[in-house]
Amino acid sequence: MLTGPFDSKIRVTEISPMDQPIDRRSQTTAAFIGRALRGPLNTAVPIRGMADFSRRFGGVWSRSSLGPAVEQFFAHGGRQLHVVRVANNARGAMICLPAHHGVLVLRALEPGSTEQIRAAVDYDGIDTADTECFNLVVQRVSPVNGHVIDQEIYRRVSTDPEHKTYIGDALLSSALITLQLPLPAGRPAATMGRHVGHGTAYVGHAQRGSDGSDLCDYDLIGSAAKGTGLFALDAIDRLDLLYLPPLARGQDAGPAALLAAERYCRRRGGMLIVDPPSTWTDAQSAVAGMRQTGYRSPNMLSYFPRMTLRGSDDPSPRGVGGAIAGLLSKLDALEGPWGDLAQRAFAFNRTLAPALGVDGNDLAQLNRAGLNAIVADDSGRALVRGAVTLGRGSESDRQFALLPARRLSLAITNNVERATRWAIFEADGTRLSERVYSQVDAYMQSLAEAGAFADTNYRVQCDAGPKLPPADPARSITVLLMFRPRGCNEQVSVTLHQTISGCRVASTAFAPAACA
């Protein structure tokens, strides 16, 4: 899979080792996109827990719903999460270092009001005859306790663009600061060391950073060419679940962002979790509202109602897409994507309660509209009931109206796509079809034994095409799969077409014959 660009023309492709068994229990990867106090912009950062999120992005922030969503994810069993921070006109803090004939201006790479950067200059180890070079120390300091979190040291650098140790070149690798033009004509004055008459002196902000304005849909969408917003996720190998937390209090992600995210998920083989609008106050308004949205995608899942936080000073219903992502990740780890989410083991924790009750008639209406219902059981624990996607009403996606069927199909195609990528670059084409078939068939057999299918009559067919050199653009490997997910009345048939440029996955209307 593509793991990110080195430049605008070159991409790196990682390939699984040839003939390796396909892991049916590969870990589910979720991604959230939103606003944070600090942290890198437009970068998919792996997060392993709430402490990790707080350290990298500043924790829960009252002006953003990203932190609570991350908290919900890990509280409900999620394990592997990538967070993309986006901002609207946020600005990094600025440091001004007085220099001979000017000022050396440095700008923090990570914008935000809590990003604490400081810098110091000395001439230690530099010959007294050298009036051009200087040493620069840059530190990131915790806004909570003042401890140094990160530090970068640049020795014998110069403000002269023609010098071999030009500071502009040195700072290209910095994770803390960037250089701002114009440059001073001479080096900055020393702030510490033997050239000053006092102890260590770091220069702080001349201008604090800014958190920017509230997000809009286009901040979430970003740019494919620049790798921002949604497209920052191109850098990660796998995407199973995507969630866009509300942009601000009372402001959900709009249609532009959701449609762009659905299209992105369709391309990457992931599911988009969508919060219900706060204007849906009962089951009838939710059903009517779903008709008005016009969403018809098996790669989208939504629910109703929102939930409230027990014991909170804020009684307003809130979106729980982060919690649902955590529950689905937990389900995948314990049973598999074909499992039933409506079990006590996958209930919401007791801090969350449905904002309103849903009876049997409401439940049926919501499920028919493509909405999963959140219902409290006899013990007061809330469960997701329905297991449906928004793929209703489309003849071509009819079999994917069931959430387990769609997620199982995506897991199969994603795993087979990654695991068989090696075959397109295999020099020895002898018996290549049989080798790929054996690899895929063993994987499908393991799924059948785990109970993923309604029956064991799955079928696999592989075709390595004409024998062409591995570098030939016309070379291809085709894998056809047919299976019936557990709980599904219809067969699912898909074709994976591997080429040098990538893999294309399409539904097929016919049943493949078994490979001999």
Side-chain angles (χ1 to χ4, degrees):
M1 294 294 294
L2 299 180
T3 58
F6 286 105
D7 60 31
S8 60
K9 297 181 180 179
I10 302 175
R11 288 182 179 268
V12 175
T13 300
E14 289 188 357
I15 306 171
S16 300
M18 65 178 66
D19 296 272
Q20 291 296 305
I22 305 175
D23 183 9
R24 70 173 177 85
R25 288 193 175 274
S26 52
Q27 197 170 71
T28 300
T29 299
F32 296 173
I33 303 175
R35 196 178 179 199
L37 266 174
R38 59 176 181 268
L41 287 179
N42 298 301
T43 304
V45 179
I47 299 297
R48 297 291 180 264
M50 198 57 199
D52 202 6
F53 177 79
S54 297
R55 182 169 52 252
R56 199 67 192 91
F57 292 100
V60 174
W61 180 28
S62 61
R63 295 173 61 188
S64 171
S65 55
L66 176 62
V70 172
E71 200 168 40
Q72 289 177 8
F73 176 79
F74 289 111
H76 288 83
R79 297 180 181 178
Q80 186 160 299
L81 177 67
H82 283 80
V83 170
V84 176
R85 181 195 179 198
V86 293
N88 183 354
N89 293 319
R91 183 185 65 239
M94 183 174 68
I95 298 174
C96 296
L97 297 171
H100 302 292
H101 310 294
V103 177
L104 180 64
V105 180
L106 306 174
R107 180 75 73 174
L109 273 177
E110 298 183 2
S113 60
T114 65
E115 176 72 331
Q116 303 288 329
I117 299 292
R118 64 186 189 183
V121 174
D122 68 67
Y123 305 148
D124 292 349
I126 297 174
D127 193 283
T128 54
D130 185 348
T131 60
E132 188 173 356
C133 292
F134 62 98
N135 303 319
L136 175 68
V137 180
V138 182
Q139 294 179 340
R140 171 184 282 138
V141 180
S142 168
V144 178
N145 54 28
H147 293 169
V148 175
I149 302 173
D150 294 301
Q151 176 174 280
E152 296 176 351
I153 300 175
Y154 301 92
R155 300 189 183 280
R156 298 177 182 273
V157 291
S158 168
T159 57
D160 181 1
E162 302 299 323
H163 198 279
K164 64 180 180 179
T165 58
Y166 171 50
I167 187 172
D169 293 334
L171 292 183
L172 289 175
S173 61
S174 174
L176 299 179
I177 56 169
T178 185
L179 188 64
Q180 200 162 294
L181 300 178
L183 293 173
R187 67 183 178 180
T191 63
M192 66 179 185
R194 58 187 177 85
H195 294 87
V196 294
H198 51 78
T200 300
Y202 283 88
V203 176
H205 303 153
Q207 180 186 69
R208 293 183 63 84
S210 163
D211 299 314
S213 306
D214 288 343
L215 299 179
C216 69
D217 276 11
Y218 299 101
D219 297 316
L220 298 177
I221 296 170
S223 164
K226 297 179 180 178
T228 59
L230 278 170
F231 301 97
L233 297 173
D234 285 348
I236 66 175
D237 178 61
R238 182 187 183 108
L239 176 65
D240 298 298
L241 301 168
L242 174 61
Y243 176 53
L244 307 179
L247 303 177
R249 181 182 293 271
Q251 182 187 0
D252 296 323
L258 293 177
L259 291 174
E262 186 279 333
R263 184 175 181 181
Y264 187 84
C265 284
R266 191 177 284 262
R267 175 168 69 84
R268 293 294 305 271
M271 295 289 302
L272 175 65
I273 300 172
V274 181
D275 289 325
S278 57
T279 54
W280 294 357
T281 55
D282 54 38
Q284 289 70 37
S285 64
V287 171
M290 184 52 64
R291 292 196 192 101
Q292 293 172 4
T293 66
Y295 296 142
R296 297 287 189 274
S297 171
N299 286 69
M300 300 174 76
L301 71 95
S302 191
Y303 62 93
F304 182 81
R306 292 189 173 209
M307 304 188 78
T308 57
L309 186 61
R310 288 189 173 103
S312 172
D313 295 333
D314 180 8
S316 59
R318 62 193 65 202
V320 290
I324 290 177
L327 291 175
L328 290 173
S329 298
K330 181 180 178 181
L331 175 69
D332 294 349
L334 296 181
E335 294 189 10
W338 59 87
D340 182 9
L341 201 55
Q343 303 178 60
R344 183 68 61 85
F346 306 109
F348 291 92
N349 63 39
R350 293 187 181 275
T351 62
L352 292 172
L356 54 89
V358 173
D359 62 26
N361 185 53
D362 291 339
L363 174 62
Q365 288 187 62
L366 292 169
N367 289 170
R368 283 196 297 270
L371 292 168
N372 297 281
I374 296 181
V375 180
D377 66 8
D378 295 338
S379 69
R381 298 286 297 275
L383 300 170
V384 178
R385 298 282 300 277
V388 291
T389 73
L390 296 183
R392 70 207 184 287
S394 171
E395 187 65 27
S396 61
D397 292 327
R398 184 176 57 189
Q399 70 270 41
F400 296 139
L402 293 177
L403 181 60
R406 182 54 173 165
R407 296 193 65 235
L408 174 61
S409 300
L410 290 175
I412 289 174
T413 53
N414 290 339
N415 288 335
V416 171
E417 175 189 346
R418 277 187 290 270
T420 61
R421 187 70 180 150
W422 63 270
I424 203 69
F425 302 100
E426 174 65 5
D428 182 10
T430 305
R431 299 181 61 249
L432 187 57
S433 293
E434 288 86 346
R435 292 166 62 191
V436 173
Y437 170 81
S438 296
Q439 183 186 25
V440 176
D441 183 68
Y443 168 62
M444 297 294 283
Q445 179 62 36
S446 70
L447 289 173
E449 293 172 353
F453 303 143
D455 53 52
T456 57
N457 296 325
Y458 69 85
R459 305 179 79 176
V460 178
Q461 181 176 336
C462 305
D463 182 5
K467 293 183 179 180
L468 298 172
D472 194 316
R475 191 170 190 209
S476 65
I477 305 291
T478 301
V479 180
L480 292 89
L481 301 170
M482 187 179 74
F483 54 93
R484 186 157 68 93
R486 191 174 77 181
C488 188
N489 294 326
E490 299 184 47
Q491 296 280 359
V492 173
S493 298
V494 293
T495 301
L496 291 83
H497 191 67
Q498 295 269 25
T499 65
I500 294 291
S501 59
C503 182
R504 185 177 72 255
V505 179
S507 297
T508 53
F510 58 89
C515 181

